[in-house]
Amino acid sequence: PNECTDEEYKEFYRKVFQDFKEPLFWIHLNMDYPFNLKGILYFPKINMEYDSLEGTIKLYNNQVFIADNIKEVIPEFLMLLKGVIDCPDLPLNVSRSALQNDGFVKKISDYITKKVADKLTGMCKTDRETYEKYWDDIAPFIKFGCLKDQKFAEKMDDYIIYKNLDGKYLTLKDCMDKAKEEGHENQIYYVTNEKEQSQYINMFKANGQDAIIMSHSIDNPFISQEEQKHENLKFLRIDADVNDTLREEVKEEDKEALKKQEETLTETFKKALGDDKLQVKVEKLKDAEISSMITLSEETRRMQDMMKMYNMYGMDPSMFGGQETLVLNAKHPLVQFVADNKDSDKTPVICEELYDLAMLSHKQLSPEEMTRFVQRSNEILLMLTK
């Protein structure tokens, strides 16, 4: 390794893999005992949303090519990488089942896993700036590795980092310490789509609260694994519920009036939207400018996401469990108007618009819903001209 220049590593990569996108970095394996093994593993920029999940690791015996991607020798998660490995001690002509049951082959696999983990943890310890620079690109690979390989997960446990709303990188311990300071111990809030959840992000920021960005498809199973590993830890999407720090404390003498208002608004919105199953909650939010928002419990959303992923028996994900809850801000003038004027001609239009505005901040509207929303918005603007 000490005789190779960066340019030689890159030229070798281009020549072997016909890939003209530069690798992020690489690991040079060079071992004589207890077995002979040489190789280079390259970390390409991994985009698991669009690219094939499989990289290419070429296996050789004394420079004689054996095969690509032999899963019995190379740990499954490392298949996302590109590389070459030359191991003269590997039998040239042997069945896959024999390789699978070969203790020697298992040692090679464990060694490669250890070297990759050592490279990553070493980079995090000694060159945190570079580690953070690469993190967004290598995070899917590392998380996939943690899901697939317990030893790798144990080694990487303290070196998984999370990007917060300010673009800073925090360890899980940092996140948990911050959550405790903010008054929601063991609960870490996360964002999956910064544009769609911008209303919730702004509320959090206005109240001095933080969240982490978890926008990749691998993040869903990864956070479930983290919750299993750490007792009491709970990841909640930023729109899972109205956080205590975002709402005003209601005085005891005002609770009854707020409850009655909730009953009136629930009945009015159900009628206006033609939805008997609509769940409505009335809160006094600190931010008086927010009129309405949508929340969906973490458990329900995860189950719906899982059903979408597996397309279970062609069932509609919304059939499973609870629906979204429409949260209305008791302090907002439009909500107050609906509560005080449930029989007004304007009330149904305002209810529909408040519901759609809340939905827009939660997820994309369907084409039909968007068409109705645009038509109604135009009608409301025309009313202003009369």
Side-chain angles (χ1 to χ4, degrees), residues 272-287:
L273 298 168
D275 182 358
D276 286 339
K277 293 179 181 173
L278 181 72
Q279 293 179 29
V280 178
K281 206 171 180 182
V282 177
E283 302 275 14
K284 278 193 172 181
L285 300 178
K286 286 180 181 175
D287 189 341

Side-chain angles (χ1 to χ4, degrees), residues 191-210:
V191 172
T192 55
N193 187 315
E194 288 174 83
K195 285 182 184 174
E196 281 187 10
Q197 290 145 31
S198 60
Q199 182 189 37
Y200 304 88
I201 290 170
N202 292 337
M203 282 175 69
F204 265 55
K205 283 183 172 177
N207 283 282
Q209 280 201 266
D210 205 0

Side-chain angles (χ1 to χ4, degrees), residues 59-66 85-92:
L59 198 60
Y60 292 80
N61 178 318
N62 274 328
Q63 299 186 25
V64 175
F65 178 65
I66 301 174
I85 288 173
D86 194 319
C87 185
D89 297 333
L90 260 185
L92 262 176

Side-chain angles (χ1 to χ4, degrees), residues 30 51 115 133 144 150 152 162 177 214 217 224 277 309 361:
N30 197 4
D51 293 350
K115 292 300 282 185
K133 186 177 84 176
F144 185 59
Q150 194 182 343
F152 182 76
Y162 303 84
D177 289 347
M214 301 290 270
S217 53
S224 296
K277 293 179 181 173
M309 194 183 296
S361 299

Side-chain angles (χ1 to χ4, degrees), residues 91-319:
L92 262 176
N93 190 6
V94 70
S95 70
R96 285 277 169 102
S97 57
L99 278 175
Q100 235 168 1
N101 299 312
D102 192 320
F104 172 71
V105 168
K106 179 77 172 75
K107 281 178 186 167
I108 294 175
S109 177
D110 289 347
Y111 166 75
I112 296 169
T113 300
K114 181 182 180 301
K115 292 300 282 185
V116 170
D118 287 348
K119 169 78 176 182
L120 293 166
T121 56
M123 190 193 296
C124 186
K125 286 176 198 167
T126 61
D127 192 359
R128 178 70 180 246
E129 196 178 323
T130 303
Y131 188 70
E132 289 183 1
K133 186 177 84 176
Y134 290 143
W135 179 256
D136 288 355
D137 291 317
I138 62 173
F141 157 78
I142 291 174
K143 289 171 183 176
F144 185 59
C146 290
L147 290 168
K148 289 289 180 185
D149 191 300
Q150 194 182 343
K151 282 185 182 172
F152 182 76
E154 284 167 10
K155 279 184 171 290
M156 292 304 303
D157 206 27
D158 294 330
Y159 304 97
I160 303 286
I161 53 177
Y162 303 84
K163 185 157 69 171
N164 75 355
L165 296 178
D166 296 323
K168 290 179 183 163
Y169 289 94
L170 311 170
T171 62
L172 185 63
K173 186 182 180 305
D174 295 336
C175 293
M176 291 176 82
D177 289 347
K178 219 167 184 193
K180 193 173 182 179
E181 280 172 34
E182 291 172 4
H184 48 92
E185 191 174 358
N186 293 325
Q187 290 184 335
I188 296 174
Y189 286 89
Y190 67 96
V191 172
T192 55
N193 187 315
E194 288 174 83
K195 285 182 184 174
E196 281 187 10
Q197 290 145 31
S198 60
Q199 182 189 37
Y200 304 88
I201 290 170
N202 292 337
M203 282 175 69
F204 265 55
K205 283 183 172 177
N207 283 282
Q209 280 201 266
D210 205 0
I212 54 174
I213 313 295
M214 301 290 270
S215 55
H216 206 282
S217 53
I218 198 93
D219 286 327
N220 232 3
F222 179 72
I223 60 178
S224 296
Q225 186 191 61
E226 288 296 285
E227 286 171 342
Q228 286 166 14
K229 275 161 59 178
H230 302 275
E231 199 180 353
N232 299 325
L233 175 63
K234 189 73 186 161
F235 283 88
L236 296 165
R237 202 167 84 169
I238 205 165
D239 55 356
D241 197 4
V242 179
N243 189 322
D244 283 344
T245 55
L246 303 178
R247 59 163 82 93
E248 281 186 5
E249 204 172 326
V250 181
K251 293 174 186 169
E252 202 59 46
E253 60 266 30
D254 296 336
K255 283 184 179 175
E256 191 59 40
L258 196 67
K259 193 182 173 190
K260 281 186 179 172
Q261 193 181 46
E262 186 173 271
E263 287 168 6
T264 303
L265 286 165
T266 301
E267 184 191 327
T268 308
F269 271 81
K270 279 183 176 179
K271 187 179 172 185
L273 298 168
D275 182 358
D276 286 339
K277 293 179 181 173
L278 181 72
Q279 293 179 29
V280 178
K281 206 171 180 182
V282 177
E283 302 275 14
K284 278 193 172 181
L285 300 178
K286 286 180 181 175
D287 189 341
E289 290 182 10
I290 292 173
S291 57
S292 56
M293 55 193 280
I294 294 287
T295 61
L296 179 66
S297 79
E298 185 71 15
E299 290 75 15
T300 301
R301 194 187 51 71
R302 282 197 206 181
M303 188 55 72
Q304 289 185 6
D305 285 349
M306 192 175 79
M307 288 179 71
K308 275 182 208 163
M309 194 183 296
Y310 295 109
N311 195 17
M312 287 165 96
Y313 315 110
M315 294 195 316
D316 176 5
S318 63
M319 286 166 63

Side-chain angles (χ1 to χ4, degrees), residues 44-57:
K45 189 169 179 174
I46 299 165
N47 185 346
M48 285 168 71
E49 301 286 355
Y50 306 108
D51 293 350
S52 160
L53 269 180
E54 200 154 283
T56 308
I57 295 186

